[in-house]
């Protein structure tokens, strides 16, 4: 879909833009997309297809089409330069659409709880000039969806602590536009991990909210 068509057709009720970057391993992709679809008209997907195989691209679009209307999704071609470049590229594209209150990173193998986004709306400020970020604990599961334990269940409250440990995987993060703008204005060569970097930026320059209740199965 072209940007101009998107801007004229997107429903005003859409609050969240999901920044989803995928590659060739789509074993758990259907469950993940289904977990995003439960939010209905509240979400829009920007999906960067960074796959090497044409079959993977076709399968990804087929799975998404089973759960989302065409008007709720934009597919773009990834830069094929690794996960960091892919998330930077897709984040900048999402920002160029200028239509959302909140943004979230998403991998291709995580399943979101149905309470995740409602908890975010109770904490983050959409139009604040101050960068704000939500992150939660994560349930670890195996390939059979068997619970293995909780990951990252304690908050890191200071910038100095965050320098030595990544508080949260990207798939547990949601942030406002001010936080995403900080991240997107960074040169890729300056950082190693997209999720760790946006956390560092936000805890130093804005507010971070940690949710001890797991909102993602990973």
């Amino acid at each position: 879909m072209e940007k101009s068509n998107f801007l004229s057709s997107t429903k005003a009720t859409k609050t969240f833009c999901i920044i989803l970057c995928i590659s060739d391993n789509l074993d758990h992709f259907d469950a993940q997309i289904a977990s995003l679809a439960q939010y209905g008209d509240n979400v829009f997907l920007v999906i960067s297809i960074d796959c090497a195989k044409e079959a993977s691209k076709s399968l990804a679009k087929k799975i998404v089409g089973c759960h989302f209307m065409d008007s709720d999704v934009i597919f773009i071609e990834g830069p094929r330069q690794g996960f960091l470049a892919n998330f930077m590229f897709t984040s900048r594209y999402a920002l160029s659409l200028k239509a959302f209150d909140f943004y979230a990173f998403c991998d291709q193998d995580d399943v979101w709880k149905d309470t995740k986004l409602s908890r975010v709306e109770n904490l983050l400020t959409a139009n604040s000039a101050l960068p704000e970020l939500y992150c939660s604990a994560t349930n670890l599961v195996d390939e059979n969806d068997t619970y293995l334990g909780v990951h990252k269940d304690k908050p890191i409250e200071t910038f100095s602590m965050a320098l030595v440990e990544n508080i949260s995987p990207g798939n547990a993060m949601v942030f406002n536009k001010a936080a995403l703008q900080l991240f997107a204005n960074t040169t890729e060569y300056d950082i190693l991990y997209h999720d760790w970097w946006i956390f560092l930026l936000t805890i130093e320059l804005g507010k971070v909210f940690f949710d001890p209740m797991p909102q993602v199965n990973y």
Side-chain angles (χ1 to χ4, degrees), residues 48-166:
S48 175
I49 301 182
D50 217 35
C51 305
K53 301 175 182 177
E54 287 300 322
S56 298
K57 296 179 182 180
S58 298
L59 178 59
K61 290 182 177 181
K62 180 180 179 180
I63 290 172
V64 172
C66 290
H67 297 280
F68 282 90
M69 303 279 291
D70 289 346
S71 58
D72 296 332
V73 184
I74 286 180
F75 291 97
I76 60 176
E77 290 288 331
R80 300 287 300 280
Q81 296 174 9
F83 71 91
L84 173 60
N86 200 9
F87 273 103
M88 293 292 289
F89 174 76
T90 312
S91 295
R92 289 169 181 151
Y93 189 96
L95 271 173
S96 75
L97 300 176
K98 305 182 190 302
F100 308 100
D101 294 328
F102 305 111
Y103 300 81
F105 292 141
C106 192
D107 299 324
Q108 65 195 54
D109 55 1
D110 48 272
V111 174
W112 291 16
K113 301 289 188 181
D114 60 3
T115 53
K116 177 177 178 178
L117 297 187
S118 63
R119 294 169 80 87
V120 169
E121 288 184 290
N122 290 330
L123 291 171
L124 299 191
T125 307
N127 298 316
S128 174
L130 189 72
E132 297 182 2
L133 181 146
Y134 164 97
C135 55
S136 74
T138 302
N139 284 331
L140 295 179
V141 298
D142 64 15
E143 63 274 11
N144 299 313
D145 209 30
T146 302
Y147 174 75
L148 300 177
V150 178
H151 180 58
K152 303 291 186 182
D153 59 345
K154 296 180 180 179
I156 290 179
E157 298 177 345
T158 66
F159 179 77
S160 58
M161 293 172 66
L163 286 173
V164 295
E165 182 181 350
N166 186 7

Side-chain angles (χ1 to χ4, degrees), residues 14 18 20 29-45 63-69 72-73 106 110-114 117:
K14 293 189 185 303
I18 311 300
L20 172 56
F29 191 56
D30 186 71
Q32 188 231 19
I33 292 297
S35 77
L36 301 181
Q38 68 189 322
Y39 300 110
D41 284 343
N42 210 23
V43 300
F44 184 85
L45 307 185
I63 290 172
V64 172
C66 290
H67 297 280
F68 282 90
M69 303 279 291
D72 296 332
V73 184
C106 192
D110 48 272
V111 174
W112 291 16
K113 301 289 188 181
D114 60 3
L117 297 187

